[in-house]
Every structure is written in structure tokens, then in C-alpha cells.
């Protein structure tokens, strides 16, 4: 758009956001007659209208991002529901296969040739490893209650991610990181202690009952923290989630065919859980991308740290498993610890104003 006067004929077809941009940049000041041609008497009214439209669009994008948080919070209960009918390995393979198809339609398949080679290698390796740990740790759990506990161990990854960003990416922080990290760890110990809360002997007995599930969940938390830390530096703005989901599905099918797994019992309930779990993963990513790109990133960042409590609540409902007061206390500690870690990395208002990129650097990108 140039600084020349825009005639009435063209003014009628100019979108409001185009007017706003032109007015802000000083490229054009539409006379009242032209402004009337699009239903406004003053260009400033047009700018005001555009601002209101932008705010409305941002609210919609933020709401879509919050939907992603709800979808991801349902993952633990849905994965467990799938594994109970289709097996830990076979059910996960089916789930990631369906989710891959959904991602093809919502996110699309990336142009692999444009990917940095290091991101393609390390991103694939870490992403697939994490997803295997997540799905199998929940699938191998001995009970629904244990599956929820395992899911809670996985939610140590936000605290681990921020700690890794401080250690390896030189993320600035303050002393809040220390109590934040310790409270998150204490929360997990509280959850694993059972009815007594912080009970080291009870926690040890719980872990000995199924060291594989708890070990996979803890390893997954560490691996995802590494993924977030590494890809921030080497991804080059690329998003390989569709490819990574396909590789995860292939790895699970290879495991299923090579080692075998539980027999798959197809039923209406199993199919419903399968579709819901795949949708939560696939559409969750699509919704999160909209929210993080066009919504209020600060709101989404803050809300995402309440996922452990929301996830436990949804899993308890889906799996019809009552949870004790001590469990909720531990889950709350995990949330509080993660939030303190997040606050520890935020710049002071007097120093600088955080951009969306700065905030999103310590915002969960994937909530398993």
C-alpha cells in the first residue's frame, strides 16, 4: 500500500486490518469520504475497530490454547483406557498411528529437506524415546491408581526443563528456582508415599512394586527436558511433530512385532478410548500451536502448570479411581514447584518486557 490517495472504489474492498496497518505506519490517511465507503467516518475509528478485532481474535486463540491444555490433561486416563483393552504396546502403537493421521490433516507433513540435520537426528531420537516412556509407563502400571501416580512422576519434566535451560541454555533466573525445584520433588515423594503422605518406606515399597513403570516415567521426564533444551537451540523454527509421531508409531509396531504384546480385545469402548486418546494428542498439538502463536502466551504458560492437578482429576473420573487427600496435596506441590521455577526465570518488569518468544521458552510445549 503506497502513500497515494485510495479511491472510493478500492476503499470499499480494503480490509480493516489493512487500514489499521497503513494508518499506524503513516502510509495513508484515508479522507472521511473514503472512510465512509467502508462504513466508518474517521480512520481513527477504523483503527479502534481493528484493535477490538485483534483483541477478540487473541481471546479466541487463547481459548483454543486452553482447550489444548484440557486435551493434554486427559492423556493419562485415555492412554490407560486404551492399554487396558489393546495392551500396553499394541494399544500405544494403534494410538500413535491414528494420531499421526490426524496430525497429517491438522498440522501437515513437514519438508524434511529443510530441517537442520542435528534437529532431525536428536529431535527424532529424544521425542520418540519420550513418547515410548510415557505410553509404556502408563500401560505397564499394575492398577489405575498406579497409572495416575506414574503420570504424576512424568510431570516433573517442567521443573527439569527449566533447570536444564538455566544450566545449559544460560537462562537467567533467581533464587526461587531452589525452593521451586525442591517443592516439585517433594510433591512427587508425597504422591508416592500413599495414604500417609511423606512416607519414605511407603514410597520405596510403591516403587519396588513396579520399578519399570516408575523408572520409565522418571526417565521420560528427564528426556523431555533434554528435548526442550536441545531443540530450542537447533530446531531453526522447524516443527517435526508429525514426522516424530510417525516414527513413534513405527517404533511401537516394531516392538510389538518383535517381542510381542498382550492380545488386542477390540470393543466399542476400546475404539472410543482409542479415538479420544489420538484426538487429544493430534488436535492438542494443533490447538496449542494456534494458542501459542496468536493467543496470550502468559495466560497459557500460567495455566499449563496446573496440568498435574487437572490430569489427575480427569484420570480419576475416566478410570473411576478415587484419590486420597495426600495425593492431591502432592499434586498441588508439583504445580506450585513448577510455577515457582517458572517465576524464577521471568525477567523483572523494570529490566525488560518479555516477548512471546521469551515466555514460550519456559512454557510447556507438550504435556503428556
Amino acid at each position: 500500500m503506497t502513500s497515494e490517495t485510495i479511491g472510493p472504489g478500492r476503499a470499499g474492498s480494503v480490509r480493516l486490518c489493512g487500514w489499521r496497518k497503513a494508518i499506524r505506519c503513516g502510509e495513508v490517511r484515508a479522507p472521511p469520504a473514503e472512510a465512509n465507503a467502508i462504513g466508518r467516518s474517521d480512520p481513527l475509528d477504523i483503527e479502534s475497530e481493528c484493535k477490538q478485532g485483534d483483541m477478540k481474535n487473541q481471546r479466541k486463540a487463547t481459548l483454543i490454547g486452553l482447550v489444548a491444555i484440557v486435551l493434554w490433561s486427559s492423556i493419562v486416563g485415555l492412554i490407560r483406557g486404551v492399554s487396558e483393552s489393546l495392551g500396553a504396546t499394541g494399544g500405544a502403537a494403534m494410538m500413535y498411528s491414528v494420531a499421526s493421521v490426524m496430525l497429517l490433516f491438522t498440522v501437515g507433513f513437514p519438508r524434511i529437506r529443510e530441517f537442520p540435520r542435528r534437529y532431525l537426528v536428536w529431535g527424532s531420537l529424544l521425542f520418540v524415546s519420550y513418547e515410548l516412556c510415557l505410553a509404556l509407563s502408563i500401560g505397564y502400571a499394575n492398577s489405575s491408581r498406579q497409572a495416575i501416580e506414574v503420570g504424576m512422576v512424568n510431570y516433573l519434566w517442567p521443573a527439569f526443563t527449566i533447570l536444564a535451560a538455566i544450566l545449559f541454555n544460560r537462562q537467567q533466573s533467581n533464587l526461587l528456582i531452589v525452593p521451586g525445584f525442591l517443592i516439585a520433588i517433594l510433591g512427587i515423594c508425597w504422591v508416592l508415599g500413599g495414604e500417609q503422605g511423606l512416607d519414605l518406606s511407603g514410597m520405596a515399597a510403591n516403587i519396588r512394586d513396579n520399578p519399570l513403570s516408575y523408572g520409565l516415567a522418571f526417565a521420560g521426564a528427564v528426556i523431555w527436558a533434554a528435548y526442550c533444551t536441545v531443540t530450542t537451540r537447533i530446531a531453526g523454527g522447524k516443527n517435526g511433530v508429525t514426522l516424530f509421531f510417525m516414527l513413534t508409531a513405527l517404533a511401537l509396531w516394531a516392538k510389538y512385532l518383535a517381542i510381542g504384546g498382550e492380545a488386542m480385545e477390540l470393543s466399542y469402548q476400546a475404539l472410543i478410548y482409542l479415538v479420544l486418546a489420538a484426538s487429544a494428542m493430534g488436535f492438542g498439538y494443533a490447538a496449542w500451536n494456534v494458542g501459542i502463536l496468536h493467543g496470550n502466551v502468559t495466560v497459557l504458560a500460567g495455566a499449563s502448570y496446573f496440568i498435574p492437578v487437572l490430569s489427575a482429576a480427569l484420570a480419576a473420573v475416566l478410570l473411576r479411581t478415587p484419590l486420597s487427600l495426600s495425593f492431591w496435596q502432592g499434586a498441588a506441590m508439583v504445580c506450585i514447584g513448577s510455577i515457582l521455577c517458572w517465576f524464577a526465570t521471568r525477567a523483572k518488569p523494570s529490566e525488560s518486557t518479555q516477548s512471546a518468544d521469551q515466555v514460550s521458552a519456559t512454557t510447556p510445549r507438550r504435556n503428556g
Side-chain angles (χ1 to χ4, degrees), residues 240-291:
V241 63
T242 304
L243 172 65
F244 296 161
F245 258 71
M246 290 180 173
L247 293 175
T248 303
L250 287 174
L252 286 164
W253 281 120
K255 178 181 180 300
Y256 183 80
L257 295 175
I259 303 176
E262 303 90 336
M264 296 187 186
E265 299 179 5
L266 292 176
S267 64
Y268 288 114
Q269 181 179 0
L271 292 176
I272 290 173
Y273 269 114
L274 175 62
V275 172
L276 289 177
S279 299
M281 288 186 169
F283 294 142
Y285 269 110
W288 183 253
N289 284 339
V290 172

Side-chain angles (χ1 to χ4, degrees), residues 343-366:
F343 275 119
T345 62
R346 299 199 67 189
K348 295 179 180 179
S350 58
E351 294 176 356
S352 62
T353 301
Q354 278 194 310
S355 67
D357 292 338
Q358 289 172 311
V359 176
S360 62
T362 53
T363 301
R365 301 179 184 179
R366 160 77 162 84

Side-chain angles (χ1 to χ4, degrees), residues 22-41:
I23 294 169
R24 281 183 175 177
C25 297
E27 294 175 347
V28 63
R29 180 175 178 82
E34 278 88 5
N36 285 331
I38 57 171
R40 299 294 182 270
S41 60

Side-chain angles (χ1 to χ4, degrees), residues 187-265:
I188 292 300
C189 294
W190 207 280
V191 167
L192 299 183
E195 301 291 338
Q196 303 302 319
L198 186 58
D199 179 4
L200 295 181
S201 61
M203 181 180 70
N206 225 350
I207 295 174
R208 282 197 301 268
D209 179 58
N210 192 348
L212 179 59
S213 279
Y214 289 110
L216 285 172
F218 186 83
V222 174
I223 291 170
W224 192 253
Y227 173 85
C228 293
T229 304
V230 169
T231 56
T232 297
R233 304 173 64 176
I234 65 176
K238 302 300 181 182
N239 180 8
V241 63
T242 304
L243 172 65
F244 296 161
F245 258 71
M246 290 180 173
L247 293 175
T248 303
L250 287 174
L252 286 164
W253 281 120
K255 178 181 180 300
Y256 183 80
L257 295 175
I259 303 176
E262 303 90 336
M264 296 187 186
E265 299 179 5

